[in-house]
Amino acid sequence: MSKKSYTKPALLYTEQISKLKSRGLIINNTPKALHLLQHLSYYRLSGYWYTLLDHPKKNHRFKIDATFDQAFDLYCFDRELRQLILNQIEKIEVSVRATIAYECSHSWGAFWLSDKNNFKNDSEHKNTILKISKEIDRSKELFLQEYDKKYLEKLPPSWITLEVCSIGSLSWVYRIIKPGKTKREISRKYGLNEKVFETWLHSLVYIRNICAHHSRLWNKKLAIKPEIPKNFKGNWIVNTEITDSRNHSKNSIKNKTYFTICIVQYLLNIINPKNNFKENLDELFDKYPNIDLKAMGYTSNWREETLWSQKKR
């Protein structure tokens, strides 16, 4: 398809309201809608009222009884979901950081990060160390300043270095660690094999970035598809497909938000068996009862899955 110039003009807030009304969106409180358009933007909210459009969506006509408040409820739900997931990913990140530092340091010594022999590829190791060094240089942590005053080694011991690494760097470090006992021991702590754990970390980095940058998550088609584990420790899900109501085809849920939520719950159950993630999700779903969970990839029998039905020990 040939490209063309973008010619749509910027609209005034009042013009945006008129445009929405002309397309059939019910706006019961115009001052509130104007305020939200002013502080959230038309474009950001459009991702939420897109689901309220009638078919074919290219005609930009809203379904009968579609309201601005429904779109805003979706926005609020998505925001709270992102905040909840981001908080849980932080807990997983801290655990993974500690596990990688512990296992690798006991296998290869305090300065294993600096030794290219512990990694699969010299070039990738060099680039990773360069990135980590930049993260250290940007950090204002007092413990790094004190280390630099006392010791000769440029890169501190891994348990110090990894403390200032982003989850992206942490995921990359695990990815390029050479295959073998040490890498297996890290993933075994979470009841997974190396490949599955590697893809899960990559997925969590992707989701974390979506949440941190306030992007839409709830019904997003995710670009990263983590692996489905064949062997695992603890409770997991059996059904990893969802049926398309339009043509009855079966589709994998690996690129759906629900699958990520399952990953988070699984890992939290290992890190903290008494976690409240499931209860917090239930409260969120109760608060927004009109949310279409199928759009998130939730399967028809998800509540029967042991991951969600098993009581805490």
PDB file of all heavy atoms in Angstrom, residues 6 58 102:
ATOM      1  N   TYR A   6       0.015  12.830   6.080  1.00  0.00           N
ATOM      2  CA  TYR A   6      -0.967  12.960   7.168  1.00  0.00           C
ATOM      3  C   TYR A   6      -1.523  14.380   7.128  1.00  0.00           C
ATOM      4  O   TYR A   6      -0.774  15.358   7.219  1.00  0.00           O
ATOM      5  CB  TYR A   6      -0.292  12.681   8.509  1.00  0.00           C
ATOM      6  CG  TYR A   6      -1.247  12.604   9.673  1.00  0.00           C
ATOM      7  CD1 TYR A   6      -1.773  11.386  10.066  1.00  0.00           C
ATOM      8  CD2 TYR A   6      -1.632  13.745  10.370  1.00  0.00           C
ATOM      9  CE1 TYR A   6      -2.664  11.290  11.130  1.00  0.00           C
ATOM     10  CE2 TYR A   6      -2.517  13.672  11.439  1.00  0.00           C
ATOM     11  CZ  TYR A   6      -3.026  12.443  11.812  1.00  0.00           C
ATOM     12  OH  TYR A   6      -3.906  12.359  12.864  1.00  0.00           O
ATOM     13  N   LYS A  58     -13.829   0.570  10.987  1.00  0.00           N
ATOM     14  CA  LYS A  58     -13.262   1.615  10.127  1.00  0.00           C
ATOM     15  C   LYS A  58     -14.268   2.735   9.830  1.00  0.00           C
ATOM     16  O   LYS A  58     -13.887   3.832   9.400  1.00  0.00           O
ATOM     17  CB  LYS A  58     -12.752   1.005   8.826  1.00  0.00           C
ATOM     18  CG  LYS A  58     -13.833   0.408   7.953  1.00  0.00           C
ATOM     19  CD  LYS A  58     -13.247  -0.175   6.677  1.00  0.00           C
ATOM     20  CE  LYS A  58     -14.328  -0.763   5.779  1.00  0.00           C
ATOM     21  NZ  LYS A  58     -13.741  -1.320   4.531  1.00  0.00           N
ATOM     22  N   TYR A 102      23.658 -14.894  43.639  1.00  0.00           N
ATOM     23  CA  TYR A 102      24.056 -15.973  44.550  1.00  0.00           C
ATOM     24  C   TYR A 102      24.613 -17.171  43.802  1.00  0.00           C
ATOM     25  O   TYR A 102      25.723 -17.641  44.095  1.00  0.00           O
ATOM     26  CB  TYR A 102      22.858 -16.397  45.395  1.00  0.00           C
ATOM     27  CG  TYR A 102      23.182 -17.489  46.392  1.00  0.00           C
ATOM     28  CD1 TYR A 102      23.637 -17.168  47.668  1.00  0.00           C
ATOM     29  CD2 TYR A 102      23.048 -18.830  46.053  1.00  0.00           C
ATOM     30  CE1 TYR A 102      23.941 -18.175  48.589  1.00  0.00           C
ATOM     31  CE2 TYR A 102      23.358 -19.839  46.958  1.00  0.00           C
ATOM     32  CZ  TYR A 102      23.799 -19.503  48.228  1.00  0.00           C
ATOM     33  OH  TYR A 102      24.109 -20.495  49.130  1.00  0.00           O
TER      34      TYR A 102
END
